[in-house]
Amino acid sequence: MQRLVEPAEIQNRVRTLGQQLSQTYHDQPLTVLGVLTGSMLFMADLVREITVPHRMGVVHASSYRGKSTVGGELRVGMDLLPDIRGRDVLVIDDIFDTGRTLERLVQALDAYHPRSIKTAVLLLKEGRSMVSFNPDYFCFRIPDVFVIGYGLDYNDDYRHLPFIGSLEPHEI
Ligand code: IMP
Ligand code: MG
């Protein structure tokens, strides 16, 4: 395993993003919506750096990869979605890879009549997008390698690691 982003770098960048969001969403009905499971650590740290009042919620998305590193069938679950009518929604995910997860979620959330929807991801993987939009905010741009840690998993392992690492081809 190779270490790509250290905890202190994550903390600095998340703090800066939190400050930026605090200005952007000042006096607005913000709901920060985390995409389970990968966004848990990022979301927990980010909301503590957003100094304006806001609500938190979660939705679920998974692409059933298991031991594969490429996405399979995409499933989204809205069971836990709080009321977002008239609210400014910021969707938080761990990584923007092909972009299909966020594309699908934004489309699905639109039906609940939020006032606005923006997206923020921890990682933006280079040269992988298959959709026509970019996330509104991202913390780190990374090369096209398979990463784990700080919420990201390989076959459900490694999510708890406080840093972001990449797995070598022989490890996956
Ligand atoms: P997308 O729909 O292709 O943008 O993929 C987004 C989802 O795929 C993320 O929320 C992750 O769960 C997963 N994913 C994509 N790339 C990686 C990676 O390098 N490591 C771990 N999970 C990944
Ligand atoms: Mg995920």
Side-chain angles (χ1 to χ4, degrees):
M1 186 194 303
Q2 218 189 314
R3 289 171 76 116
L4 285 188
V5 193
E6 292 300 328
E9 299 175 71
I10 299 174
Q11 194 187 6
N12 282 337
R13 184 63 192 104
V14 169
R15 180 163 298 155
T16 308
L17 178 58
Q19 287 164 354
Q20 189 183 352
L21 293 170
S22 304
Q23 289 177 1
T24 304
Y25 288 98
H26 178 71
D27 269 345
Q28 292 189 39
L30 172 63
T31 295
V32 176
L33 203 61
V35 182
L36 295 174
T37 305
S39 73
M40 288 180 79
L41 277 66
F42 178 36
M43 169 135 168
D45 286 341
L46 182 61
V47 292
R48 285 177 287 181
E49 301 293 347
I50 301 177
T51 53
V52 296
H54 59 282
R55 295 180 184 172
M56 291 170 64
V58 289
V59 292
H60 175 252
S62 67
S63 39
Y64 283 91
R65 8 188 122 217
K67 288 191 174 174
S68 163
T69 56
V70 293
E73 189 202 342
L74 176 62
R75 302 221 186 147
V76 299
M78 297 290 177
D79 302 13
L80 300 169
L81 181 71
D83 187 10
I84 57 167
R85 180 176 287 268
R87 298 194 61 87
D88 292 300
V89 172
L90 181 67
V91 184
I92 306 286
D93 206 359
D94 51 2
I95 188 166
F96 189 99
D97 181 22
T98 65
R100 285 196 166 129
T101 303
L102 282 181
E103 178 184 55
R104 172 86 82 79
L105 274 171
V106 168
Q107 279 168 8
L109 290 168
D110 212 37
Y112 296 85
H113 306 288
R115 193 167 82 132
S116 69
I117 307 182
K118 283 192 185 185
T119 55
V121 293
L122 179 73
L123 304 174
L124 179 62
K125 221 187 247 192
E126 215 122 65
R128 293 272 306 162
S129 178
M130 299 180 72
V131 298
S132 59
F133 72 101
N134 288 313
D136 296 287
Y137 306 94
F138 67 92
C139 290
F140 302 99
R141 206 186 275 279
I142 58 159
D144 183 9
V145 290
F146 194 79
V147 288
I148 46 85
Y150 198 67
L152 292 130
D153 76 302
Y154 170 61
N155 196 26
D156 281 328
D157 289 322
Y158 306 113
R159 289 194 200 273
H160 61 93
L161 296 176
F163 59 87
I164 293 158
S166 66
L167 293 181
E168 312 285 335
H170 71 267
E171 295 174 294
I172 50 186

